[in-house]
Amino acid sequence: MAAEQFDKVADFLDLSDELRERCKWPKRLITVTVPVRRDDGSTELYFGHRVQHHLTRGPVKGGLRYHPAVDLGEVAALAMWMNWKCALMDLPYGGGKGGICCDPRNMSIAELERMTRRFTMEMIPFIGPETDVMAPDMGTNEQTMAWITDTYSTHAGHLEPAIVTGKPLTLQGSAGRTQATGHGVAFLASSALNKLDLPVRGSTAIVQGFGNVGSHAAQTMASYGMKVIGISDVNGAIWNPEGIDVKALKAYEIEHRTVVGFPGAEPVDPAKMLTEPCDVLAPCALDRVIHGDNAGQLQCKILAEGANGPTTPEADRIIDARGDIFVIPDILCNAGGVTVSYFEWVQNLQRFQWTEREVITKLETRLHASFEKVVGFAQRNNISQRTAAQAIAIKTAADAKAARGMFP
Ligand SMILES: NC(=O)C1=CN([C@@H]2O[C@H](COP(=O)(O)OP(=O)(O)OC[C@H]3O[C@@H](n4cnc5c(N)ncnc54)[C@H](O)[C@@H]3O)[C@@H](O)[C@H]2O)C=CC1
Ligand SMILES: O=C(O)CCC(=O)C(=O)O
C-alpha cells in the first residue's frame, strides 16, 4: 500500500528516477532476535524489527508496536508513512518504526519488561536522541517507554530522557502526549465538520478501537458535544444512538479490559458498525479495515483516519469516485501524536517543561496549518486529500535530499 501510494504521488510530482529511488527505499532495516525468559522458566525467541526510512532531515521518529502481525514489511511501510507524516508536519525528523512480533495480551508485565529491555539492548548501536527516537504505538505505552529509557540510560551512565517520547511525566514526559493523537483526530474531525458547514455539537461519530488513540478521540469528541454512537475494540462493538457516555465507558474499560458488556449501550456487529450512517467515522485500530468490499457501503460524511493505513488503495479508488466523503488522511489525522512527541523531545533537550495548555495550543496551531495546506492543495490540483498530503510531504523530503546533493 505504502509503495503503491508513493508511486502515484511520485508520478504526480514528476520526480526524477534518481530521487524516486532514493525517496522510496529505506536507509536501514534492522532485525534482531530477542530471547525472553518466560515466567515458567522456559525461553522464547521473538523477532524485533526497526526500519529507519530516511535520516536526511534529522533523526528518525516513530512508534514501537507489539502485535502478532508485526513483520519487517509492515514495519517498513509504517516507517515510510512516518517519514511523510514528519515532513508534512514540518518536524525536523525522518520516519522510523519498530515492532516485535508477539502477543502482549498473553504476556505478564515481567515478561514484557524483560522483552523490552532485551530489545533495547540489541538496539543500542542503532538508536540515540540524534539518530532514532522511539515512541508508543499499538500494544506499547508509557511503561514500555520508561523501560527503554532506563535500559538506555543505564548503558549511557546518565539519564537520557530524549531517547524516547511518550514517557511518564515523572521521567520528563510531556504534558499532553498521552491524549495528543486522539485529541488531534477529534480536533481535525471538528475542523472538517466546520469546512462542510455542519454543526459540531450534536454531530454523530463512530470510533473503531478504544486504545490510546480511539479512547482519547472519543473523549475529546464527546467534550465538543459530539455524540459518539458506536465504539469497538478487539472483542466486539457497542452502540447507543443517543450517544455513549465515553467517560463512564473508559472507567468500565479500565476495570474489564474491554468495551463489551458496557451497561450504557447495546452490542452491535463490529463490521456492520463501520457502514452505519454517521457524520464522522474514525478507524483508530488496525490497517486495511476500509477495503473494496465495504468502501461502497460507507455512510459517513467524514473519514477521520486515526489508525495508520486503515484504507486500502482499492477503497481509495471507490471513495474518490463517490466524491461524497471528506477524507482526513492518516498522515495528517493522527499526526498529533508525533507532533507532541517532537515537543517532548525539544523539552528534554532543553531540560525544560511546558504546561499542558502550551502544548495543546501549539499542537492545534500546527494541525490547523497542515489541515488548511492539505485541503487547499487538493482543491487547487483537483486531487484527493491523501494524494495532496503525501505530495506536500514527499516534495519536502525530496527537496531536502536534492539539496544535500548526490552520492559522494
Ligand atoms: N499511540 C499513538 O500515539 C499513535 C498511534 N497511531 C496508530 O493508531 C492505531 C491504534 O494505536 P493505539 O491506539 O496506540 O493502540 P492501542 O494498542 O492503545 O489500542 C488498539 C485498540 O485497537 C483495538 N483493536 C484491535 N483489534 C481490533 C479489531 N479487530 N477491531 C476493533 N478494534 C480492535 C484494541 O482492542 C485497542 O482498543 C494504530 O494504527 C497506530 O499505529 C498513530 C499515531 C500515533
Ligand atoms: O510519537 C511518535 O514519535 C510516533 C507516533 C507514531 O508511531 C505514529 O504517528 O504512527
Side-chain angles (χ1 to χ4, degrees), residues 89 176 179-181 183-184 187 335-337 339-340 343 357-368:
M89 295 305 293
Q179 67 268 38
T181 312
H183 183 94
F187 175 78
T339 303
V340 175
F343 297 159
R357 179 179 286 272
E358 276 176 283
V359 168
I360 298 296
T361 305
K362 287 184 205 302
L363 169 65
E364 291 184 348
T365 304
R366 276 184 183 255
L367 286 174
H368 175 74

Side-chain angles (χ1 to χ4, degrees), residues 90-104:
D90 246 335
L91 308 178
Y93 291 138
K97 202 79 168 199
I100 302 181
C101 178
C102 65
D103 188 353

